[in-house]
Amino acid sequence: MSTLILGIETSCDETAAAVVEADGVVQSSVVSSQADLHARYGGVVPEIASRRHLELVAPVVRAALEDAGVALDDVDRVGVTQGPGLVGALLVGLSAAKAIAWARGLPLVPVDHLRGHVATLYLAPDPLDPPFTCLLASGGHTLLLSVREREGYEVLGSTLDDAAGEAFDKGARLLGLGYPGGAEIDRLARDGDPEAYSFPVARVAGLDLSFSGLKTALLHAVRGLTETDLAARRADLAASYQRAIVRALAGRLRAAVERTGHETVAVVGGVAANSELRAALPDARFAPLELCTDNAAMIASAARFARAVEPPGYLALDAYPSAPL
Amino acid sequence: MLVLAFDTATDVATSALLEDAEVLGERASVAKTLLEDVDALLRQASARPADIEALVVGTGPGSFTSTRIGLAVARGLALALDVAGAGVSTLDALAAGAEGALPVIDARRREVFVPGAGAVAPEDLDVAGRLCVGDGALRYRDVLEAKGAAIPPDDDIRHLPRASLHARLVTAYGRVDEIEPIYARAPDARRWRG
């Protein structure tokens, strides 16, 4: 049997484990989402997320092994998200992963969550070959990347304030929609007129992005409306708001391609699931829908291209909250 | 039976390796490097991870994140080694190490954890004539001594929830996945602004 990697991911509100072969074949991918738990707060509550990760981490790892039809004996290394993310949440997965690897004398591969999103593209059946220009857009991050090798990437630009997924979540809250907001806005926008409102997209130098002004514009538009008017215009507002975000992302991605010269374009992260963004970039390679949001198959995939640490070298490993510059 | 015990609920993470009631080794550091201590304990005893037959883990109360590190390590070890375990309250372990004493654990935000009361202000404790131990007793030494408590010197070992004490309090082992942390305080319902 080929080399097997057990991946574990607990950086935000998904507890996930997966078994992936060294050649990129996903044998199993289990994701236990806590979205329902956080919905009443309109966003992720760190302490609640961490408590839930502890309850779920062992059952989710067991389920991933079972779904793959393998035992821990068959696993050759453990890949785990080290950061960025919520530290309390990361530490649950990292501590469990260290313990599993140490107990079995296995190497551990600490994985950067953002590299994990990009590594979704390297999974079978159709792994993407660098070089390519990549947009990574999620609830926590929005980055434009030049990817020349599977081991890493160069950051060309990023959001100066809210992440694209965060802009969707905040917009959804202003419109009185549920959490997570991206899917809700996407659904509602299908019934609305994307040109009904003209929301400004901030012009920022270089390849960076900014979404805070857009959120404010939506706030002003909503403020002037009565409850009845809001109900009548909600779909138009959602469609116009989504159009503005998609335009900003697609525009920056095109500018990034001009900079890199890498004609191949890819989109990963939770926002890659957005139907309008997918339609706006017909030639781009998108992460498969089920692997857009956080999962552990992407972490195991990234572990194929990151340095493995032999025991006991990883026993003091700590999580990191922010993306390294 | 080779038993591995540890407690990461407070700022000092303790660990111990026991052969039945005999303590083979004890260590203290911090939660994030717990497994280094565990690795060293096993090496000293010329044992391998697979030789571990049962786990004992401190369940707090203490720091949320820190308590969870110990429990996540326990869950990972149990999954990998297929061993049973037991949870022991950090307060019970402290009490077992200092006869007749009131265990007091720092709960941050100017509160402490004591048995049966959740998080309380140290000023509200009735400690006249009582021996108090634990990092909460140390942090609020002035307040508690003013109320008539006796508190051993800072470096007194009775202030540490030594993991060998946890191991001695175990009466039965069960599934490690079912060992729950004692948070003793509701989570802050504040959203994360990334």
Side-chain angles (χ1 to χ4, degrees):
Chain A
M1 190 184 261
S2 106
T3 300
L4 286 187
I5 303 156
L6 169 66
I8 298 174
E9 149 71 36
T10 63
S11 68
C12 192
D13 63 342
E14 327 275 359
T15 316
V19 176
V20 172
E21 292 177 26
D23 59 7
V25 173
V26 180
Q27 291 209 348
S28 69
S29 176
V30 177
V31 180
S32 181
S33 175
Q34 309 177 2
D36 293 350
L37 205 60
H38 300 282
R40 55 182 289 216
Y41 304 103
V44 177
V45 181
E47 177 58 23
I48 292 176
S50 302
R51 289 184 181 193
R52 196 77 181 126
H53 283 308
L54 181 65
E55 291 166 16
L56 291 172
V57 67
V60 164
V61 169
R62 286 198 178 91
L65 293 169
E66 202 171 293
D67 284 3
V70 300
L72 209 44
D73 283 338
D74 306 316
V75 170
D76 300 283
R77 69 180 68 164
V78 179
V80 63
T81 311
Q82 186 184 11
L86 304 168
V87 168
L90 287 162
L91 282 170
V92 173
L94 183 61
S95 300
K98 278 158 68 174
I100 291 170
W102 174 81
R104 291 299 183 122
L106 297 174
L108 186 85
V109 191
V111 172
D112 182 273
H113 180 82
L114 304 177
R115 288 192 185 192
H117 274 297
V118 177
T120 308
L121 300 164
Y122 308 143
L123 288 166
D126 189 18
L128 186 65
D129 282 320
F132 57 92
T133 309
C134 187
L135 167 66
L136 191 172
S138 69
H141 307 275
T142 304
L143 297 171
L144 285 153
L145 308 168
S146 167
V147 185
R148 289 196 199 83
E149 55 184 15
R150 287 183 170 164
E151 288 75 15
Y153 50 66
E154 180 195 349
V155 178
L156 305 171
S158 64
T159 181
L160 302 175
D161 37 61
D162 294 346
E166 201 179 356
F168 273 112
D169 284 341
K170 288 177 175 174
R173 272 208 298 281
L174 290 172
L175 292 172
L177 303 172
Y179 170 86
E184 295 279 330
I185 287 185
D186 197 349
R187 201 173 303 124
L188 188 61
R190 281 169 209 161
D191 302 325
D193 174 5
E195 305 297 339
Y197 290 85
S198 173
F199 289 123
V201 174
R203 290 179 178 276
V204 182
L207 289 171
D208 290 334
L209 292 127
S210 164
F211 291 109
S212 65
L214 178 63
K215 177 191 61 193
T216 310
L218 179 63
L219 175 67
H220 287 305
V222 170
R223 240 188 212 155
L225 298 176
T226 62
E227 269 302 315
T228 323
D229 286 345
L230 177 59
R233 306 303 302 271
R234 195 175 271 127
D236 287 346
L237 286 162
S240 304
Y241 187 74
Q242 173 170 281
R243 172 65 53 93
I245 294 175
V246 167
R247 262 193 194 143
L249 293 174
R252 275 301 191 243
L253 188 49
R254 273 184 220 105
V257 171
E258 276 176 31
R259 172 93 64 89
T260 63
H262 311 325
E263 292 290 335
T264 305
V265 169
V267 186
V268 297
V271 179
N274 182 270
S275 64
E276 185 168 343
L277 186 62
R278 290 177 104 96
L281 298 165
D283 298 326
R285 170 72 175 271
F286 279 78
L289 275 179
E290 71 277 12
L291 297 178
C292 286
T293 46
D294 293 350
N295 63 86
M298 70 184 205
I299 300 305
S301 181
R304 296 154 61 212
F305 308 104
R307 194 173 67 89
V309 184
E310 294 295 326
Y314 51 77
L315 296 182
L317 208 65
D318 199 355
Y320 57 86
S322 315
L325 293 174
Chain B
M1 185 166 75
L2 193 67
V3 178
L4 173 67
F6 47 83
D7 186 313
T8 58
T10 63
D11 283 350
V12 180
T14 63
S15 51
L17 190 67
L18 299 91
E19 179 67 47
D20 296 319
E22 183 197 351
V23 179
L24 303 179
E26 281 193 90
R27 295 182 75 93
S29 59
V30 293
K32 285 170 186 173
T33 56
L34 166 68
L35 278 165
E36 282 193 333
D37 283 350
V38 168
D39 189 62
L41 285 170
L42 284 167
R43 282 172 198 274
Q44 275 166 14
S46 302
R48 293 168 305 129
D51 297 329
I52 296 169
E53 293 173 272
L55 301 172
V56 181
V57 55
T59 53
S63 144
F64 294 163
T65 295
S66 192
T67 303
R68 267 193 296 271
I69 289 175
L71 278 155
V73 166
R75 279 156 164 69
L77 291 178
L79 191 150
L81 301 170
D82 197 21
V83 292
V88 173
S89 139
T90 306
L91 286 167
D92 287 350
L94 272 175
E99 212 183 319
L102 177 72
V104 184
I105 292 175
D106 185 6
R108 324 274 159 107
R109 304 184 206 167
R110 288 213 52 85
E111 290 183 322
V112 292
F113 295 120
V114 291
V120 294
E123 290 79 6
D124 295 341
L125 289 177
D126 181 13
V127 289
R130 288 205 73 173
L131 179 68
C132 294
V133 297
D135 63 357
L138 292 180
R139 178 151 187 190
Y140 298 106
R141 175 187 286 282
D142 293 351
V143 176
L144 299 177
E145 283 179 347
K147 293 177 71 77
I151 298 171
D154 286 10
D155 58 358
D156 193 295
I157 199 160
R158 287 175 290 178
H159 291 302
L160 280 188
R162 293 161 58 198
S164 56
L165 299 167
H166 297 66
R168 288 182 183 142
L169 291 172
V170 174
T171 51
Y173 290 98
R175 280 174 47 82
V176 171
D177 285 4
E178 285 162 15
I179 302 172
E180 296 289 338
I182 302 169
Y183 290 116
R185 191 187 255 160
D188 245 355
R190 270 191 309 225
R191 276 196 313 271
W192 173 50
R193 302 199 169 269

